[in-house]
Amino acid sequence: MTESSVIYIILAFITALLLALFQYVYKSKLNNRLKTILTVLRTVAVFGILLLLINPKFETETYHDEKPSLIVAVDNSESITYLQQDKNATSILKSITDNPEIEKRFNIETYSFGKALKPIDSLNFSEQQSNISNALKQIGEVYSNQVAPIILLSDGNQTYGADYSFVSNSVKQPIYPVILGDSTIYSDLSIKQLNVNRYVFLKNRFPVEIIANYNGTESITTELKIWSGNSVVFRKPIQFNATKTSEVITTTLGANSVGVKTYKVELTPLDLEKNTVNNSKNFGVEVIDQKTNIALVSDIIHPDLGALKKSIESNEQRSVSILKPNEYLNNSNDYQLVILYQPNNNFNTVLNEVSDQKLNSFIITGNTTNFSLLNNLQSAFKQTVTNQSEDFQPQLNRNYNTFIIDNLSFEDYPPLQSEFGTIEFSVPNAIILSKSVNGIDTNQPMLSTYEVGNTKHALLSGEGIWRWRAQSYLESESFNNFDNFIGKLVQYLSSNKKRSRLNLDYKSFYNGNDDVIISAQYFNKNYEFDNSAALTITLKNKEDDSIREVPLLLNNGNYSVDLSGIASGSYNFTIKHNTESVAATGSFEILEYNVEQQFLNADIEKLQSLAKNSSGNAVFNTEIDELISDLLTDSRYATIQKSTKNIVPLIDWKYLLGLIALSLFVEWFIRKYNGLI
């Protein structure tokens, strides 16, 4: 309470007392006992009211002890079991969490991680991938405002994510890696990396690049072989020694038949080699007999052209040629799809060619588009010509049902510049993206698809799509999400297949540790998306004829099933509606490969670097007592006494209001009883 408040309270009491004395004492004929009672009651009432007007504030301060948190994160991946460290990990976790001094000093929180971080329920060391950097970043975000050292129980072998040795730049906590493994160096051969295109073309030869590694000190000779079934299609002797520990081998293989072709790369094992699993690696290619050629026709130079070309050609099945209008007309029969970028006066003949030859097209408009020409030479839509441009944000239509769209939000994507004015379609169209201004959806199409007869078309109103591809990279550190979105649009436009009530999205083959996710869209008889359908996938293994049935779940506007973890091999599958005679079939192959079994030792150097960069300390699994001692004696982790100051205004004190009311009531009653009213 401030000094001014104290003065006001004293003045209020004097004022209340003087008023009471004036009313009940000054020139009063009441007896002394009644005078005293009424004076006290009136003083209390008036003083209480004046106190409420002054409303002084009272401060209370409480103290509490805050212990630091101790985060224990355990690597739950298969490599821990493969290195025979699963029992050590479980024992170390128990010794930390059950230590009474640690429990007294810290609030202990335990997590496990593989590809994702989660609170420990049970440890089974069955995760097929490990993402150490993501686990540490998530822990750092949760405990960013606390003192929370992190104990990391791991072999340091990461199979997914960014380099974790520099994660201390974003995780402002000391990290104490407990190294699950030993430092013994064993002689070991391994296939470090294998680079090959996913798609190849019939009768072509495709390149294969293999990086073979050797870990050891002796001079050795081995042989690299590439198998196709039971036949060796390539072999080469390789020599390694203490100074030559890796070699890059390149070759080309022939693609002689259509379909998925699988191969196996193998290094002949050394005598007494401890780990031979990493001596071999399977890979696959899909041989196709035709490449989709796409003409990107433009009369101007713009960054959008390069972005579109890179996005489309990220799928090796497609090739994009950037052409002037006259260049396209000379070779129009060579392309399955034509993209018309900002048509101007020079596109007159091109637009007529697209219409006369009934070609599929993708029209992109912008600031240099001649909308009068475009309106006259096609009849599917009309753009109001205002000669004024506007910036429009994209807004995704979650109900778009022509083909499956990945879960892109587009919320933070930059605006595109488009002609100000309405677009009216004379044919049925499906909106993928609508225009939004200041967060308000205008219900005007930005990106939409439509069909004219047997041809398919798309219209994008706006230039600057290269910014979208850059934004996709900023969000996910990869162009894949945006490239897949454009790829599916191009796939739809370049295909002449009739629309189906059940559309599937899957890959023809998956590497051993890939997520095996199959998506589907189901439409009713009016081709409207049905979000209440009951779909089931029947999966059949071609090798042992085993059958497995799994329901598909509705997820973000698509039905999907996650088959990750099923055994390697070839599979046929059928997705069908449980109550209607609608079904679709497909097949895929899973290549045998377990990335968690490729390691022979713990990655000691990287774990030690992580500890050093974060001001922590790395220890081996036999030094856990030293780690506990360091944590208990480190002054950074002392219990902190914190105070909480609580300021309460008097007006919140309800008892004062009750006292005022009681005083006034008793005063009124006494006066009434004595005939003073």
Side-chain angles (χ1 to χ4, degrees):
M1 191 185 307
T2 62
E3 291 182 4
S4 60
S5 296
V6 174
I7 295 173
Y8 287 140
I9 291 172
I10 294 172
L11 292 175
F13 178 76
I14 294 172
T15 302
L17 181 60
L18 290 175
L19 287 173
L21 291 173
F22 178 78
Q23 184 170 359
Y24 291 113
V25 177
Y26 180 68
K27 294 183 180 182
S28 176
K29 297 179 181 180
L30 300 175
N31 61 63
N32 292 333
R33 184 170 176 272
L34 197 58
K35 285 181 183 179
T36 303
I37 294 172
L38 291 174
T39 300
V40 170
L41 291 172
R42 178 53 62 94
T43 301
V44 169
V46 175
F47 181 58
I49 293 171
L50 292 175
L51 276 180
L52 290 177
L53 293 174
I54 297 170
N55 192 24
K57 295 178 176 59
F58 299 91
E59 295 182 358
T60 59
E61 199 163 6
T62 58
Y63 297 89
H64 65 278
D65 293 335
E66 184 175 286
K67 297 191 294 185
S69 297
L70 179 64
I71 315 303
V72 184
V74 185
D75 190 339
N76 196 34
S77 62
E78 289 184 351
S79 65
I80 302 298
T81 302
Y82 191 70
L83 295 179
Q84 300 178 348
Q85 295 294 321
D86 48 332
K87 292 182 179 179
N88 283 339
T90 305
S91 174
I92 292 170
L93 176 63
K94 184 176 177 60
S95 66
I96 294 173
T97 55
D98 292 349
N99 187 294
E101 294 185 19
I102 289 289
E103 285 184 306
K104 184 178 179 181
R105 183 74 176 271
F106 297 94
N107 293 318
I108 303 174
E109 304 286 347
T110 57
Y111 297 89
S112 67
F113 66 89
K115 192 173 180 180
L117 179 75
K118 55 187 176 182
I120 284 184
D121 180 18
S122 61
L123 291 173
N124 50 25
F125 303 102
S126 60
E127 297 277 353
Q128 295 185 337
Q129 291 194 3
S130 54
N131 190 341
I132 298 174
S133 62
N134 181 64
L136 293 175
K137 285 180 180 178
Q138 289 188 21
I139 291 171
E141 290 172 359
V142 172
Y143 299 93
S144 60
N145 297 322
Q146 302 180 36
V147 176
I150 302 169
I151 297 179
L152 177 68
L153 276 65
S154 175
D155 56 11
N157 293 314
Q158 178 172 269
T159 62
Y160 190 85
D163 188 345
Y164 66 83
S165 59
F166 300 102
V167 78
S168 57
N169 295 331
S170 57
V171 179
K172 306 302 181 183
Q173 304 288 357
I175 302 172
Y176 295 84
V178 178
I179 303 170
L180 300 176
D182 57 52
S183 58
T184 306
I185 297 177
Y186 302 95
S187 294
D188 182 58
L189 291 170
S190 64
I191 304 295
K192 184 67 175 178
Q193 190 169 332
L194 194 153
N195 300 318
V196 63
N197 292 335
R198 187 178 184 90
Y199 302 98
V200 298
F201 300 99
L202 187 64
K203 304 302 181 183
N204 283 359
R205 297 188 68 81
F206 61 94
V208 180
E209 182 182 70
I210 304 155
I211 302 177
N213 273 18
Y214 169 63
N215 185 30
T217 57
E218 300 178 355
S219 297
I220 59 100
T221 300
T222 185
E223 186 176 33
L224 183 138
K225 303 175 185 176
I226 301 180
W227 296 79
S228 176
N230 296 322
S231 303
V232 177
V233 295
F234 175 80
R235 65 200 315 156
K236 180 180 179 181
I238 307 174
Q239 293 182 339
F240 292 113
N241 53 45
T243 56
K244 182 190 175 186
T245 58
S246 66
E247 184 171 337
V248 179
I249 302 97
T250 58
T251 186
T252 58
L253 303 177
N256 300 317
S257 60
V258 175
V260 176
K261 307 300 175 185
T262 59
Y263 300 86
K264 180 180 180 180
V265 180
E266 182 182 44
L267 286 171
T268 303
L270 303 175
D271 294 337
L272 303 178
E273 187 174 354
K274 186 177 180 180
N275 183 9
T276 58
V277 175
N278 58 6
N279 286 37
S280 61
K281 196 169 186 178
N282 296 307
F283 70 94
V285 295
E286 184 175 359
V287 181
I288 55 180
D289 60 358
Q290 186 177 5
K291 191 169 189 174
T292 302
N293 294 316
I294 300 164
L296 177 51
V297 184
S298 174
D299 202 35
I300 63 172
I301 297 174
H302 197 281
D304 284 354
L305 303 178
L308 286 167
K309 180 177 173 66
K310 287 183 178 295
S311 287
I312 297 170
E313 290 186 343
S314 64
N315 186 328
E316 296 95 336
Q317 298 180 78
R318 304 185 181 110
S319 174
V320 177
S321 300
I322 300 177
L323 306 170
K324 294 286 187 180
N326 60 332
E327 294 174 332
Y328 167 73
L329 292 171
N330 294 333
N331 303 281
S332 60
N333 294 329
D334 296 339
Y335 303 99
Q336 288 77 50
L337 172 66
V338 54
I339 301 176
L340 306 175
Y341 187 79
Q342 301 207 39
N344 56 21
N345 293 332
N346 295 328
F347 278 71
N348 195 323
T349 308
V350 174
L351 288 166
N352 286 327
E353 176 81 3
V354 170
S355 177
D356 295 342
Q357 299 298 323
K358 293 181 170 53
L359 303 176
N360 295 345
S361 68
F362 180 15
I363 300 174
I364 302 174
T365 64
N367 292 330
T368 63
T369 302
N370 186 332
F371 287 102
S372 298
L373 175 72
L374 198 56
N375 289 340
N376 292 332
L377 294 182
Q378 55 80 41
S379 58
F381 65 87
K382 301 296 180 185
Q383 165 74 56
T384 303
V385 181
T386 62
N387 295 320
Q388 295 181 10
S389 63
E390 180 68 74
D391 287 345
F392 293 101
Q393 294 280 155
Q395 186 155 327
L396 181 63
N397 174 21
R398 297 287 183 185
N399 297 318
Y400 180 79
N401 56 26
T402 304
F403 57 85
I404 296 175
I405 296 178
D406 291 329
N407 189 27
L408 285 177
S409 66
F410 287 92
E411 291 178 357
D412 298 323
Y413 277 40
L416 299 187
Q417 279 201 331
S418 177
E419 180 82 358
F420 179 77
T422 59
I423 301 175
E424 294 184 1
F425 278 87
S426 58
V427 297
N429 71 299
I431 297 176
I432 303 177
L433 299 171
S434 59
K435 296 178 180 178
S436 173
V437 179
N438 296 325
I440 301 174
D441 191 353
T442 64
N443 295 318
Q444 280 289 304
M446 174 178 282
L447 175 61
S448 55
T449 57
Y450 58 96
E451 297 183 10
V452 179
N454 294 322
T455 60
K456 299 176 180 178
H457 307 271
L459 171 67
L460 173 62
S461 299
E463 65 174 79
I465 197 172
W466 66 270
R467 296 188 181 92
W468 287 4
R469 191 168 190 261
Q471 181 65 30
S472 173
Y473 185 86
L474 291 176
E475 290 181 351
S476 61
E477 297 183 358
S478 169
F479 296 113
N480 290 343
N481 290 338
F482 179 78
D483 291 351
N484 290 339
F485 172 74
I486 294 296
K488 288 185 177 182
L489 176 61
V490 169
Q491 181 180 9
Y492 161 75
L493 293 173
S494 58
S495 170
N496 289 320
K497 289 195 303 182
K498 291 185 177 180
R499 193 173 183 184
S500 170
R501 289 180 59 191
L502 185 58
N503 296 331
L504 305 183
D505 183 23
Y506 66 97
K507 297 178 181 178
S508 56
F509 69 90
Y510 300 85
N511 292 316
N513 284 83
D514 288 348
D515 292 331
V516 183
I517 297 176
I518 297 176
S519 300
Q521 278 186 327
Y522 177 76
F523 307 103
N524 60 24
K525 293 180 180 179
N526 294 325
Y527 287 96
E528 298 170 333
F529 181 75
D530 187 347
N531 60 5
S532 61
L535 303 180
T536 302
I537 181 171
T538 302
L539 190 67
K540 182 178 181 181
N541 191 315
K542 292 182 182 179
E543 298 170 4
D544 58 14
D545 292 331
S546 61
I547 295 177
R548 176 183 177 187
E549 287 194 1
V550 183
L552 276 74
L553 302 178
L554 185 63
N555 182 23
N556 293 322
N558 298 323
Y559 293 92
S560 64
V561 60
D562 189 349
L563 300 174
S564 303
I566 62 175
S568 59
S570 298
Y571 294 87
N572 291 327
F573 70 89
T574 301
I575 294 179
K576 62 181 180 180
H577 194 283
N578 291 350
T579 58
E580 295 189 26
S581 57
V582 178
T585 61
S587 63
F588 62 87
E589 186 167 345
I590 297 179
L591 307 182
E592 184 178 1
Y593 179 67
N594 190 327
V595 68
E596 291 289 338
Q597 294 183 359
Q598 304 302 306
F599 307 107
L600 186 63
N601 297 95
D603 196 334
I604 298 172
E605 290 185 5
K606 191 167 286 188
L607 289 172
Q608 289 176 336
S609 175
L610 172 66
K612 182 180 179 181
N613 292 336
S614 65
S615 300
N617 183 33
V619 298
F620 287 93
N621 51 31
T622 57
E623 302 170 326
I624 193 64
D625 291 337
E626 297 178 17
L627 172 60
I628 292 175
S629 177
D630 288 345
L631 290 171
L632 293 174
T633 57
D634 197 321
S635 60
R636 291 178 294 176
Y637 314 133
T639 299
I640 301 172
Q641 187 179 69
K642 289 191 174 182
S643 63
T644 302
K645 183 181 288 186
N646 190 22
I647 301 176
V648 181
L650 186 66
I651 199 170
D652 292 339
W653 196 47
K654 58 185 178 181
Y655 299 108
L656 179 59
L657 185 61
L659 181 61
I660 294 171
L662 180 62
S663 300
L664 292 173
F665 173 74
V666 173
E667 181 188 356
W668 175 85
F669 181 80
I670 292 173
R671 293 182 65 188
K672 185 73 172 178
Y673 183 79
N674 289 278
L676 300 175
I677 298 178

